Amino acid sequence: MANITLNSSTYAGYFDDVILASAVLGARAIEGGYVEVHTAVDDKMTAVFVDSDVQIEDGNGAFSSSSTTDLSEIKFELGKFMINAEIDYKNLDNFWLASQQPRGAAGDYVAPASLEDALNLHFSRKMALYVGASLWSGTGGAIDQFGSSESITKNGSNSVTGLIDAMLADSSVNDLAVGGTYKQSADFSDAADTVITVADTSDYAVGDKVTLSEISDGAVDSNDNKTFAITEIPNGTTFKIGLNTSAAAAAFTGNVTCVNKNNVVNALEAMYAAMSDSIRLAPDTAFYVPSHIAAAYKMKQAEAAYAPNVYSADYQLSYLGYPLKEDPAQRQNTIVLCRKASLHFATPLLSDLNQVLIVDQSQTNASRTIRYRMDIAFGCNISDPAKISLLS
């Protein structure tokens, strides 16, 4: 590919409903139908929900108008983001050659037909991961969770609040209190290698993932909602995660959440017990879990059914009849139990807020580069929060 050939200097239009749909709607939670999707939201939108009271009268009574109608609403304020990249011809050549190589053991890889397709497939997958993680953890949390592993960074102040943070901010949501080894109150030492003290570490193991929350010292509370692996368990009440909190003024407090093979059933049981009775028979009620909790539950079930070490093929996860929906982009050590109808994602799928451009710079300034730009806008929110249960 000695010369770069582009079909158009501004390659958009067709990709408004193909590549952009893949980028914005390709997240697991959206593609799997885990949330309600609104695709005609332009910048800002309010979704209104209606309810009315009912007064039961004596059958012999006279008719009188007595009911009132209440309107509740959720608002979407879209965050606007873009991927922009300038790539020289040499790197484009390498990019194209790599895209044409067979890969995978299944033999079902279909190479992109053009350079534009290869670029769009690559960047849309990156954007879909960013959108999926942002849906649960917000745009800042998405970078904390996947930035280093997926080479994704974020510049600028535009942001989206994720579903988990929206739940934590709403006092109507049933946020499970400390209880069991899956969520414990903790004391932290202010040290270069922090020692965390809890009531019980008997269910923990080195390598387990622990998420911190409600840290009381403002100098180190940037670690709220971040997840760390346990590096050492000195005794039955303390463990270490390799975190430096020496900036703290003194020892401080917080919560730690750690759902693993040993306590996952207890965590699900606590969530089930906290479920709102009004959604127990709703057909779209489900548990939502990140991949490490789904894996822990699978291993626990396999041990119980095929002890000691025989494992079966993969199967659909459920707990007492309710499906467990696994999403690798969900914030770690969180479990959500609610109806799909309570979780909302919004985007202006076909508008000038979402677009793809590929421009050959040789036609404008004689440089041997192309510029790639993908613009998207999205937001999310929750409704009916009193019927949502959260373990975080």
Side-chain angles (χ1 to χ4, degrees), residues 323-344:
L324 264 75
K325 297 182 179 293
E326 175 188 351
D327 188 349
Q330 185 170 330
R331 182 182 293 175
Q332 294 175 326
N333 286 309
T334 61
I335 304 176
V336 175
L337 177 57
C338 68
R339 297 185 60 192
K340 169 188 172 181
S342 295
L343 309 177
H344 301 267

Side-chain angles (χ1 to χ4, degrees), residues 60-72:
N60 295 322
F63 179 86
S64 62
S65 177
S66 59
S67 66
T68 59
T69 298
D70 296 319
L71 300 178
S72 60

